[in-house]
Amino acid sequence: MVGSIDCMHWEWKNCPTAWKGQYTRGSGKPTIVLEAVASYDLWIWHAFFGPPGTLNDINVLDRSPVFDDIINGQAPQVTYSVNGREYHLAYYLTDGIYPKWATFIQSIPLPQGPKAVLFAQRQEAVRKDVERAFGVLQARFAIVKNPALFWDKVKIGKIMRACIILHNMIVEDERDGYTLFDGSEFQEAEDNGSSHVDLTYSTDMPSNIVNMMSVRTRIRDRQMHQQLKADLVEHIWRKFGRDEDNN
């Protein structure tokens, strides 16, 4: 799991009148969308800013470059095992609107049985990382919390990018102070680790259309999504289920 993905809206008070219909959603005010990926320490790993506010999360995803490196063969190879089964695509935690792809794991809306209930609790607790990142970003920078007063959308985009860079600089400086877990718990020897990232992997793979379509199909594999989710349910139950029984 490499992070949580979600979208937030930044109100654009001085949106040009000719664009208001394109940027105005149900709230009646024009907004610009920010799609972001954040990890547990609130570091923002990916930011895509600019889609009009009338788009929902799926429409924004269709325009997003979040999977471009994987499709173009420029991302390092990832190998990890869950419940004894090997996987080669990292995944993001999302809310229910995102599609059932091999790279997305949603919660279980109406969990039946203790395993599903435990998985839903754990998934929803960790998925809030990106919501927390949005909240901290707005709390730190009043310009992002309040409606944008500029006319020029390019300038607004530069402001958002600058705020995200400054936010990450603060996180990098302060993250040691609010790490609430024991890092040694996650440090395993290389020979018995359950995951591996090949950083020496050559990214010179030719990005012809056949390779790109093949990778795109793997990313959108619904069957792989169901298999990974089932394995994660079993894995979470084996790791934390005993604690739940004791409580």
Side-chain angles (χ1 to χ4, degrees), residues 3-24:
S4 311
I5 187 169
D6 203 2
C7 295
M8 67 166 271
H9 291 254
W10 186 11
E11 183 182 337
W12 189 4
K13 184 174 182 180
N14 286 333
C15 173
T17 304
W19 291 1
K20 280 193 175 179
Q22 182 182 357
Y23 284 81
T24 302

Side-chain angles (χ1 to χ4, degrees), residues 6-171:
D6 203 2
C7 295
M8 67 166 271
H9 291 254
W10 186 11
E11 183 182 337
W12 189 4
K13 184 174 182 180
N14 286 333
C15 173
T17 304
W19 291 1
K20 280 193 175 179
Q22 182 182 357
Y23 284 81
T24 302
R25 57 176 184 155
S27 64
K29 298 176 181 177
T31 59
I32 307 175
V33 180
L34 168 68
E35 178 192 74
V37 171
S39 52
Y40 69 93
D41 57 359
L42 306 184
W43 179 278
I44 296 176
W45 293 89
H46 157 82
F48 173 54
F49 181 75
T54 48
L55 303 183
N56 62 21
D57 292 4
I58 299 177
N59 304 137
V60 174
L61 177 65
D62 288 337
R63 294 158 172 77
S64 171
V66 65
F67 294 124
D68 282 5
D69 285 350
I70 301 176
I71 292 175
N72 294 330
Q74 297 173 345
Q77 286 185 322
V78 178
T79 302
Y80 63 96
S81 60
V82 180
N83 198 31
R85 190 173 280 103
E86 196 170 272
Y87 294 92
H88 300 283
L89 280 175
Y91 62 90
Y92 300 103
L93 300 182
T94 72
D95 54 20
I97 192 174
Y98 280 85
K100 290 178 169 55
W101 292 357
T103 47
F104 292 140
I105 293 295
Q106 297 89 354
S107 180
I108 300 174
L110 297 172
Q112 303 295 319
K115 290 184 180 181
V117 169
L118 178 62
F119 174 80
Q121 290 174 347
R122 294 282 172 169
Q123 195 273 357
E124 291 164 12
V126 178
R127 193 191 66 77
K128 288 185 173 61
D129 289 344
V130 67
E131 304 285 359
R132 289 168 48 230
F134 289 147
V136 170
L137 186 69
Q138 291 177 324
R140 280 181 173 151
F141 303 103
I143 194 169
V144 176
K145 182 178 181 180
N146 298 319
L149 301 178
F150 292 92
W151 293 86
D152 186 359
K153 186 181 173 184
V154 174
K155 190 173 292 185
I156 295 173
K158 289 180 179 178
I159 292 170
M160 176 61 79
R161 180 175 296 182
C163 289
I164 290 172
I165 292 172
L166 290 170
H167 166 83
N168 281 350
M169 291 172 66
I170 295 171
V171 168

